Amino acid sequence: MSAYIPTNVISITDGQIYLESDLFYSGVRPAINVGLSVSRVGGAAQIKAMKSVAGSLRLDLAQYRELEAFAQFGSDLDKATQRQLARGARLVEILKQGQYSPLPVEKQVLIIYAATNGWVDKYEVSQLQRYEEQLYSFFDTKRTDVLEDLRTKKALDDDLKKKIDEALAEFDKVFVAE
């Protein structure tokens, strides 16, 4: 990674994706190392709503990976580090996607919004797959207006964020974690 790359090589590539077998075998698919992977297209291909919810996601995941490696050697971690590790574990879990299970972008935005804004922090990592399934079902049946707004606006304004937060609070009351 630290080797010199001539600028003419950079100008003809759209990026590099680094895959890690450790991630793959732990169930993270695609097993992309977000700290080493680069893309020139990246954000240009995303809708505005995704850009706004996932803006810090890459950095958060890269920091989590480094902290996770560091935490293996230390036993006394301060509260902020523990919170960052817990959030990182939840982000990794919500980004896992089943094989042959494409997810519409509006649902991707919802789950990433929920994770990056602390809505899933109170749940165990093992409960997040159930959380996602029930969340999508809830929005498909009770809050189709939010999904439709995300699909048509393709951006998160304050009004839509408020609607999402209200819907997530409503969902928290009916989520069955068992």
Side-chain angles (χ1 to χ4, degrees):
M1 287 305 300
S2 61
Y4 172 74
I5 302 171
T7 55
N8 63 336
V9 172
I10 291 173
S11 66
I12 61 168
T13 61
D14 285 331
Q16 293 107 13
I17 296 176
Y18 287 88
L19 303 174
E20 285 189 2
S21 57
D22 291 348
L23 292 175
F24 181 84
Y25 292 124
S26 69
V28 177
R29 296 194 180 97
I32 297 172
N33 178 319
V34 294
L36 298 179
S37 299
V38 292
S39 171
R40 289 188 5 195
V41 178
Q46 295 175 338
I47 63 170
K48 288 182 182 181
M50 182 61 80
K51 279 186 201 179
S52 66
V53 296
S56 66
L57 191 59
R58 180 179 172 185
L59 179 61
D60 291 344
L61 287 172
Q63 288 175 340
Y64 165 68
R65 295 266 182 251
E66 288 193 18
L67 270 178
E68 186 181 38
F70 172 76
Q72 292 175 352
F73 302 110
S75 59
D76 291 336
L77 300 173
D78 61 34
K79 293 284 186 201
T81 303
Q82 290 174 0
R83 275 194 309 275
Q84 194 170 5
L85 283 169
R87 173 73 58 90
R90 282 155 181 79
L91 290 173
V92 168
E93 188 63 28
I94 62 106
L95 290 174
K96 290 180 182 177
Q97 186 173 340
Q99 189 172 9
Y100 309 118
S101 302
L103 195 60
V105 71
E106 60 271 14
K107 289 183 179 178
Q108 293 175 36
V109 169
L110 277 177
I111 192 62
I112 294 172
Y113 180 91
T116 57
N117 286 286
W119 287 98
V120 301
D121 288 354
K122 60 185 153 223
Y123 302 111
E124 295 296 322
V125 172
S126 61
Q127 297 173 322
L128 293 183
Q129 184 178 4
R130 179 184 224 84
Y131 180 92
E132 270 190 81
E133 291 167 1
Q134 290 183 25
L135 179 78
Y136 301 146
S137 177
F138 174 82
F139 275 88
D140 283 337
T141 57
K142 296 194 176 8
R143 295 307 300 263
T144 56
D145 60 315
V146 174
L147 291 175
E148 186 58 31
D149 283 353
L150 281 169
R151 197 173 9 261
T152 57
K153 289 182 180 179
K154 298 181 180 180
L156 284 178
D157 55 21
D158 290 338
D159 184 46
L160 186 51
K161 284 181 186 178
K162 184 179 177 194
K163 283 172 77 171
I164 293 171
D165 284 330
E166 288 169 357
L168 288 170
E170 187 181 335
F171 173 70
D172 265 358
K173 294 175 186 170
V174 298
F175 172 60
V176 179
E178 189 65 29

